[in-house]
Amino acid sequence: MKQVVYGVTLDLKDLYIETKETEVEGMFKTVEDSLEYVHEQYTNEEVLSLLRPYVAEWFKRKYSSFTPAQLLAIPEIKKGNNVLISSPTGTGKTLAAFLGILDELFKLGEEGKLEDHVYVVYVSPLRALNNDMKRNLIEPLKEISDVARKLGYEIPEIRVAVRTSDTKPYEKQRMIKIPPHILITTPESFSIALVAPRFRETLRNVKWVIVDEIHELCSSKRGAHLSLAIERLENFVGHRLIRIGLSATIAPLDEVAKFLVGFEDNGRPRKCKIVDARFAKPFEIRVVSPLKNIATASASEISEAIYSTLKDIVLKHRTTLVFTNTRSATERVVFKLRKMFKENNVLDADKIEAHHSSLSRDLRLNVEEKLKRGELKVVVCSTSLELGIDIGYIDVVVLLSSPKSVSRLLQRIGRAGHKLSNVSKGIIVVVDRDDLVECTVLAKAALERRIDNVRIPKNPLDVLAQHIVGMALERKWKVDEAFRLVRRSYNYHTLSFNDFMSVLKYLSGKLVNLEHQRVYAKIWLDEEEGVFGRKGRGKTRMIYYMNSGTIPDEAKITVISDNGKYIGTIDEQFLQILLPGDIFVLGGRTYKFIRSYGSLALVKPVEGERPTVPTWFSEMLPLSYDSALLVGEFRRKIASMIDEGKSEGEILRFIMEHYYVEEHVAKDIYKYILEQYRFTQGIVPNDKLILIEVFDEGSKINIVFHTLFGRRVNDALSRAYAYVLSNLAGSNVKVTVTDNGFMLTITNINLSQTIITNLLSKVKSTNIDEILRRALKNTELLKRRFRHCAQRSFMILKRYMGREKSVHRLQLNAQNLLKVVEEIKDFPVLKETYREILEDFMDIKHAKEVLKKMEAGEIEVRIITGKPVPSPFAHNIVLQGYSDVVLMEDRRALLRKLYERVLEYMRTTK
């Protein structure tokens, strides 16, 4: 098995042997006696012998041989084991999951035991993926039937159907009369099907549940929603379900396996076989800097070089998939490419398309179909094509800027070379020096299997509330029995009985009476007898049907100036990160955010002030904590080599040999770190050193924290420090957050090193939770997230009695309720709102870890003041407010000016 990176070929067999004993996530170990990595790989003939003769014959005619994932997985599925398969796109995961199951269904048919029931539930996060799956099953089922008839076998039809929110009512009725043997659905439609009285009975014989794109689901509340639904299904059918999870590259596989299979009542994970074929496909990854010296180039030079690079790549390949990191960047890149190719008359502009989640479903499907038919030359997308939708053959994947995690890098590049034998070819085009360092480190980490750990939400109480209502619709439950069922789900394995009872009491109206706020009980609860059930008849069922799900409704926010003038609109996701006093750009002008009212935002025009939050900030993917640590480790290595007196030649050779980059790229990286080293007399912020630098900007003082721990950690740390500093100084503090650090800006204060030391001493690992809760009170983030949690908990209803409320009205209702429940200790919906913000939106866990290391001296903190200009590593933090470098002249010009001032300062202080 070969892996190609930057033109260097490495043998992964050696890597596997090396990592087997040293990595926490080795391939061949047994975990907690329940999770076991599969290493017994059968031969093609042995796997074929496990299948019905006509299924084996069909496979031999269709394919030359099984892929590694299939050789490992099919025998385990045939044995009836739970199986998690992690493997790149194009390595046959879907067939690995389905072939053994189809074989079993045919066997039932031969024996006359195939009844009119659903036997397989296939769940994926995308409706488009579901429609793909139906097509991809119907064709082989027909082909296998043809082969079987020719071989003299009479086999029944295996029926396949899709049930999602797009499914017409008459199709759903038909499924009740003639149920499919294989049901394809989404987590949301699956949970509704569980309580649909007539359709529910068709699920009584379900034997297999397949969860596709499990890496996408498990990291969100949709995954928690699905996890509980599967536990409810297993409880309903009364026998053990066989669970099969399909995942792209993800880590740690142990945790994802536990998410898939859940827990026994004795607290042990259910058994699961793990097929680790994540590196079964060859990759070629190249990091490209579009210019020889990216630091001194102007915006127009960099933009021209980037598009020139893109043009060369596109013309050398048949089909190119380009990933950006924001939807707005996707549109702008498509516009620029179309214009460029049209002017040069070398490519039909109609062969270039955009694909992102803001486009209509019909437009997206049209692009996907054109891709499959090979009619497009270039498709530019943000995240929408990361998942396993069948888009045909892609020659090369281009990443414009860092993908922000190793997992995402592998997922995106894995879209190229769709077959196992094809090389997945990827090119990362960098836009500045921070990006260059980050991409170089992530590309190497991808080769070394240093994959970021997935974050799985724990104990989301709003999703729990939704499922308790669903359970109450099924029948009357004993409280203890329901609690045991919930705790079988990985997401709720650590749920406390107090929290469970709190949700029951809220739903039954026993925690607090909110009828004066038009919040009515959805269930009844008898605490003495320890039972609960459905309240009322049809109304609760309709509430569940019309309001269940976990994806929040997002609104466009109307922006109005303080004199009542309409300015434009912003996304609600952007509004929720704004704090009063924040400056942002809209329509080319700067505005100060004052406050919001429902879906209205009140602002004040301010000319000449630097933005604190760019309008695309809420769209940007955050750098993961694990990847940030790798970048910090790299910085530390190079700084140590400089400190040890290594020559430029030695350091360049080290970078080129160990990170497989060209000499001019290595030189840019070396120069960047060297300039920081010289400017700060040897202080290079890294994974074990935080640099705090203070510099004046007229009437403002900026405190830059170089905390290279990823944006979610920095969001938590910055808000805590800003809140404490605001109290210490008695003045408002503006916050600018990036992946590599954050900046606190304050006016009219004599900021001494003593105040900074005092500030650091007041934020501890033991009190950051409480500080952040105080800091979050009355913020847009809390108000908006409370509405989301209240909707999931059926506290406010978007749809009721045939009427639908606007997001504006829902937000106003939520804010009124928030004022009431803030006075109630541990009210579950508000408690979940804080948990979601601190754990899912921010990363409080790793923020505490950073603070603990600071307190223990494992992370050193250095402070520098009195510099006339910020250090090189601070430039992108200081200029965060300006739009991305590919398209904005101002930001690039300011970066260049700062860079020139740094060079001038170093020349005069030698």
Side-chain angles (χ1 to χ4, degrees), residues 118-130:
V118 177
Y119 287 87
V120 186
V121 175
Y122 166 93
V123 186
S124 88
L126 294 179
R127 284 173 293 183
L129 191 55
N130 286 339

Side-chain angles (χ1 to χ4, degrees), residues 16 41 87 133 137 149 159 174 349 362 453 496 516 587 597 611 630 647 673 721 731 789 853 855 876 895 902:
Y16 282 157
Q41 186 165 302
S87 184
M133 183 52 59
L137 278 174
R149 273 195 301 275
R159 295 188 296 271
R174 188 172 181 276
D362 288 343
N453 288 333
S496 71
H516 61 290
Y597 176 77
L630 293 178
S647 69
I673 296 172
Y721 283 124
S731 177
C789 294
K853 287 181 177 179
E855 291 154 12
N876 275 324
L895 274 172
V902 163

Side-chain angles (χ1 to χ4, degrees), residues 243-256:
R243 308 178 193 211
I244 300 164
L246 308 179
S247 174
T249 305
I250 195 171
L253 291 183
D254 304 348
E255 292 304 304
V256 181

Side-chain angles (χ1 to χ4, degrees), residues 373-426:
R373 294 195 298 265
E375 295 173 8
L376 296 178
K377 188 75 174 172
V378 187
V379 173
V380 186
C381 70
S382 50
T383 58
S384 55
L385 289 178
E386 284 180 357
L387 298 185
I389 300 167
D390 183 8
I391 53 175
Y393 184 79
I394 303 291
D395 292 74
V396 65
V397 169
V398 178
L399 278 60
L400 279 181
S401 191
S402 168
K404 298 297 176 182
S405 79
V406 178
S407 311
R408 183 169 274 112
L409 186 155
L410 289 166
Q411 175 76 353
R412 289 180 170 185
I413 292 177
R415 301 298 290 169
H418 200 68
K419 294 180 180 176
L420 181 62
S421 57
N422 300 137
V423 173
S424 288
K425 184 178 180 182

Side-chain angles (χ1 to χ4, degrees), residues 63-78:
Y63 303 96
S64 56
S65 62
F66 291 104
T67 67
Q70 292 163 354
L71 290 172
L72 291 165
I74 291 171
E76 298 299 335
I77 292 169
K78 287 288 290 180

Side-chain angles (χ1 to χ4, degrees), residues 174-287:
R174 188 172 181 276
M175 286 182 211
I176 295 170
K177 294 175 184 174
I178 311 172
H181 300 116
I182 300 172
L183 176 68
I184 298 172
T185 188
T186 60
E188 294 75 19
S189 294
F190 178 36
S191 70
I192 290 172
L194 278 174
V195 298
R198 293 173 65 198
F199 187 78
R200 172 181 166 83
E201 287 305 312
T202 70
L203 301 174
R204 184 73 71 176
N205 280 17
V206 170
K207 184 175 180 182
W208 297 274
V209 174
I210 301 173
V211 182
D212 204 352
E213 307 289 349
I214 197 170
H215 57 284
E216 178 73 14
L217 285 168
C218 70
S219 60
S220 70
K221 286 189 175 182
R222 292 185 81 194
H225 187 49
L226 176 61
S227 177
L228 270 181
I230 295 172
E231 293 302 337
R232 286 170 55 196
L233 176 64
E234 179 157 309
N235 184 78
F236 171 66
V237 300
H239 59 251
R240 182 182 73 86
L241 294 172
I242 299 170
R243 308 178 193 211
I244 300 164
L246 308 179
S247 174
T249 305
I250 195 171
L253 291 183
D254 304 348
E255 292 304 304
V256 181
K258 284 189 264 187
F259 167 81
L260 172 68
V261 300
F263 288 79
E264 304 283 5
D265 285 341
N266 62 10
R268 296 177 65 81
R270 295 189 181 102
K271 292 186 176 181
C272 185
K273 300 285 188 173
I274 301 172
V275 172
D276 183 358
R278 291 172 296 177
F279 290 78
K281 203 164 184 274
F283 277 73
E284 180 183 318
I285 308 172
R286 202 154 52 93
V287 175

Side-chain angles (χ1 to χ4, degrees), residues 717-768:
L717 293 173
S718 64
R719 286 176 188 261
Y721 283 124
Y723 180 80
V724 172
L725 180 60
S726 180
N727 289 335
L728 285 173
S731 177
N732 287 335
V733 176
K734 290 179 185 175
V735 182
T736 304
V737 184
T738 76
D739 290 313
N740 294 354
F742 57 91
M743 181 170 70
L744 307 182
T745 302
I746 194 164
T747 55
N748 304 319
I749 181 175
N750 182 18
L751 195 68
S752 66
Q753 190 156 323
T754 307
I755 289 180
I756 296 177
T757 305
N758 193 17
L759 170 64
L760 292 172
S761 70
K762 288 188 179 298
V763 178
K764 297 285 189 186
S765 59
T766 51
N767 68 3
I768 187 173

